[in-house]
Amino acid sequence: MGIRCKSLCFFAVLLIVTLGFVFLVAIRHTGAGVVQESDEKQALRKRGADIKRELFHYVHFNHPPPLKLNPYSSGSDDDKDGDKSSTVCALEFIDETNSLYQLVDVEKSQVEKNSRLVLNHDGACGVCSSLHDYVAMVRIKNGVDPKLRPYDFHYCMTVGFLSRDWGVECFRNAGFTAPCAELLYYRAGAARNTCIPECISSSSMEQCITDCDASKNAAVFTKYGGRDFGMDFDFDTFTGKLPQISKSMLEKAKAWEPPQYDDKFRENLRSKVLIDPPTTPSNPYWDKDFDYRVDPNEVCGAKFVAPENEQYKLVTYKDEAAAEADGAYITHKGGCGYCSSLRDLEAYIAYPDMTYYVRNCAIKSFISPSWSRACLWNLGLSLPCAEVWYRNARHTREKCLFTCLWNLRTPNNAPDGSLSSCIACDEELSGPVFKKASARTRRNSGLFSAINRPGPSVYQLVHEYPNTTVDLAKPSEENAEPEKGK
């Protein structure tokens, strides 16, 4: 009984102290809004805007999914050792515009030998290794966040005590990707639990927490995040190593438009029969060893069986040339998966606003999972593909419900072209697994979306299959239907 009383008293005191800290930080943030900015502050803010603008057109391919577990509560001893390997995290640029990149772990000597590789940071890549997270860290470290006072670590730590969703959203509002924001939330929770009791009597509580967090939590963060605030952020030196984006190729990619696919074309797709279709998958979001990476060179081809050309099988080829040499019809970029069938392609074409309909089906899962699955299947998706969409929707609801409700009426894209908070949350927390499991997305199938995507991320593909004809005329603006979706 005495132990229980002491525990309750400890948590009561911790709650009072934390709420008091929230109040003090809130006062500081509120009061900062009326302070006149100095010339130095205005120059830093302009520099921060320049940093974001200069790196905006670089697109991350194969973004890592969020961590499955909280590394600060996993209980594994080696989790606290940090990364001591000799590898470095490099940016590998994989397209002709020099704007599409993926993160790779390589030996430092390899970076010097390969012109397509750029050193990102020492140590292995993690969930905070993207250029978006680099920009967020630079802007916060230099005091150039869009808010007059940055969304600093202490503020988000206290907000996260009240609500996990608020804490993650706080870090996302500072510009971090969702997986990195989630890791920052975990780190803030560790600092709150271990450092506030130590610093409760300190004359400078905020500085005490900062020092305590750096000594106790930074190593774990660096191991799983890759990049940390303690690293050197020489922006001019770093960006000077990045390849120049080919503006001509970028404009060419932006100018490309897919052809129109009429009802006759869709009917022909429905008549094709897939040989050995995939079975209904288990939940890929539960698989801790799920390999989310997509080979940027692979393509999925439909290999038809002669002479009728009505039956086909799906084959993953190492590149476009291999598919063409085998007489296959490329149906999307990347290896084949659960949504690679021509039936699923027909559904994607039939419902340009696929996300709208999937969202309505997902809402039905609150009442009945079977009802939700049947709703997806009725859109024309194959059973395996409908299951992947269902699991994706459930995972997004679990991870992004607060963010999406808070930004319910927000446009798909911000004025600067970046994704809205809800779409970015889905893209970064659910997207990596979805894109690998489903294999087919609108972008890698050459189908545009109402979500404004960078031109290089849309695969330029005209779908042509046996006994089909394609209208190569571009859709007119007055008849074009708005599109949404992955």
Side-chain angles (χ1 to χ4, degrees):
M1 186 68 179
I3 295 176
R4 182 180 180 184
C5 181
K6 289 181 180 179
S7 299
L8 291 174
C9 291
F10 171 77
F11 284 113
V13 171
L14 183 60
L15 174 61
I16 294 172
V17 171
T18 304
L19 291 177
F21 191 52
V22 172
F23 178 70
L24 291 174
V25 173
I27 291 176
R28 291 183 60 187
H29 281 253
T30 304
V34 298
V35 176
Q36 182 68 31
E37 282 188 300
S38 65
D39 292 341
E40 182 182 1
K41 188 74 173 180
Q42 291 178 359
L44 282 172
R45 183 184 301 284
K46 182 178 182 302
R47 185 56 175 147
D50 291 341
I51 290 172
K52 185 175 181 180
R53 183 170 56 253
E54 288 180 37
L55 297 183
F56 173 73
H57 290 293
Y58 291 101
V59 181
H60 191 178
F61 183 79
N62 273 338
H63 199 290
L67 300 173
K68 297 293 184 182
L69 298 172
N70 180 352
Y72 290 96
S73 61
S74 63
S76 176
D77 291 336
D78 70 328
D79 285 349
K80 301 177 182 179
D81 292 337
D83 179 56
K84 298 185 182 299
S85 68
S86 60
T87 61
V88 297
C89 178
L91 307 171
E92 181 183 18
F93 290 86
I94 58 177
D95 77 321
E96 56 189 3
T97 68
N98 288 332
S99 63
L100 202 62
Y101 73 92
Q102 63 180 353
L103 299 172
V104 292
D105 294 330
V106 297
E107 294 293 329
K108 196 168 185 175
S109 59
Q110 291 182 277
V111 177
E112 300 170 355
K113 299 176 182 178
N114 190 335
S115 61
R116 305 299 293 176
L117 296 178
V118 174
L119 178 63
N120 188 15
H121 61 74
D122 291 333
C125 300
V127 295
C128 297
S129 294
S130 75
L131 290 180
H132 279 80
D133 297 311
Y134 171 78
V135 170
M137 288 187 183
V138 169
R139 300 177 81 197
I140 288 180
K141 194 170 183 179
N142 294 337
V144 291
D145 193 76
K147 301 295 183 183
L148 185 56
R149 175 169 173 80
Y151 277 91
D152 63 18
F153 183 78
H154 300 89
Y155 177 69
C156 294
M157 177 179 69
T158 52
V159 169
F161 176 78
L162 302 176
S163 165
R164 176 197 175 279
D165 290 338
W166 289 0
V168 174
E169 185 68 5
C170 179
F171 286 114
R172 293 196 67 252
N173 284 338
F176 292 98
T177 59
C180 184
E182 194 168 54
L183 179 59
L184 280 164
Y185 166 77
Y186 290 143
R187 176 174 178 173
R192 187 173 58 242
N193 294 334
T194 60
C195 297
I196 288 182
E198 289 186 16
C199 299
I200 192 171
S201 59
S202 173
S203 58
S204 178
M205 186 174 181
E206 187 169 316
Q207 185 60 48
C208 177
I209 292 175
T210 299
D211 296 339
C212 172
D213 170 69
S215 65
K216 293 187 175 182
N217 301 320
V220 176
F221 183 85
T222 303
K223 177 174 181 177
Y224 290 92
R227 179 181 282 114
D228 187 30
F229 287 95
M231 293 182 174
D232 181 28
F233 289 96
D234 186 341
F235 177 75
D236 293 322
T237 300
F238 179 73
T239 55
K241 299 184 296 182
L242 298 177
Q244 290 295 313
I245 293 178
S246 172
K247 293 183 178 180
S248 61
M249 296 301 298
L250 193 61
E251 291 302 320
K252 182 180 178 181
K254 291 180 180 178
W256 184 81
E257 292 186 28
Q260 293 178 312
Y261 299 104
D262 56 19
D263 292 343
K264 184 177 180 180
F265 181 89
R266 290 173 39 224
E267 182 180 354
N268 187 281
L269 290 181
R270 287 195 297 268
S271 69
K272 307 300 183 186
V273 179
L274 176 59
I275 301 173
D276 296 328
T279 58
T280 303
S282 57
N283 189 349
Y285 293 96
W286 288 353
D287 184 358
K288 66 178 182 178
D289 297 321
F290 186 85
D291 182 9
Y292 68 92
R293 292 183 179 273
V294 177
D295 189 318
N297 297 313
E298 288 182 345
V299 295
C300 179
K303 176 73 173 177
F304 283 84
V305 179
E308 297 85 3
N309 284 331
E310 292 300 315
Q311 294 183 326
Y312 68 97
K313 58 182 179 179
L314 294 171
V315 181
T316 297
Y317 294 93
K318 65 178 183 179
D319 54 31
E320 295 173 349
E324 294 172 359
D326 196 35
Y329 295 79
I330 297 175
T331 189
H332 65 73
K333 190 74 169 175
C336 302
Y338 291 108
C339 295
S340 296
S341 74
L342 299 185
R343 170 177 175 170
D344 297 312
L345 172 61
E346 189 276 331
Y348 279 44
I349 295 174
Y351 294 94
D353 197 355
M354 178 65 81
T355 295
Y356 169 80
Y357 291 98
V358 170
R359 184 182 298 119
N360 288 342
C361 292
I363 292 174
K364 296 177 180 179
S365 68
F366 283 98
I367 302 173
S368 168
S370 298
W371 190 20
S372 179
R373 287 184 171 95
C375 177
L376 291 166
W377 186 74
N378 287 334
L379 295 178
L381 298 172
S382 64
L383 284 176
C385 184
E387 181 67 16
V388 172
W389 274 96
Y390 169 76
R391 294 298 183 181
N392 173 79
R394 288 293 298 266
H395 189 264
T396 299
R397 188 181 79 187
E398 175 188 337
K399 295 288 186 178
C400 307
L401 181 61
F402 171 81
T403 300
C404 291
L405 290 177
W406 188 260
N407 297 276
L408 193 60
R409 298 185 180 276
T410 303
N412 292 333
N413 296 91
D416 64 2
S418 59
L419 298 177
S420 71
S421 294
C422 177
I423 293 175
C425 185
D426 170 69
E427 178 86 4
E428 294 161 2
L429 293 183
S430 297
V433 172
F434 174 84
K435 285 184 282 189
K436 180 60 178 288
S438 67
R440 183 186 298 284
T441 65
R442 301 191 66 80
R443 281 164 284 165
N444 73 4
S445 299
L447 304 174
F448 274 156
S449 166
I451 303 170
N452 183 21
R453 305 284 190 178
S457 66
V458 180
Y459 183 45
Q460 297 183 19
L461 173 65
V462 176
H463 291 278
E464 295 181 284
Y465 305 99
N467 307 320
T468 63
T469 57
V470 181
D471 180 9
L472 295 178
K474 296 180 180 179
S476 62
E477 293 184 2
E478 59 183 51
N479 296 326
E481 182 180 354
E483 300 179 1
K484 300 177 183 177
K486 294 183 180 289

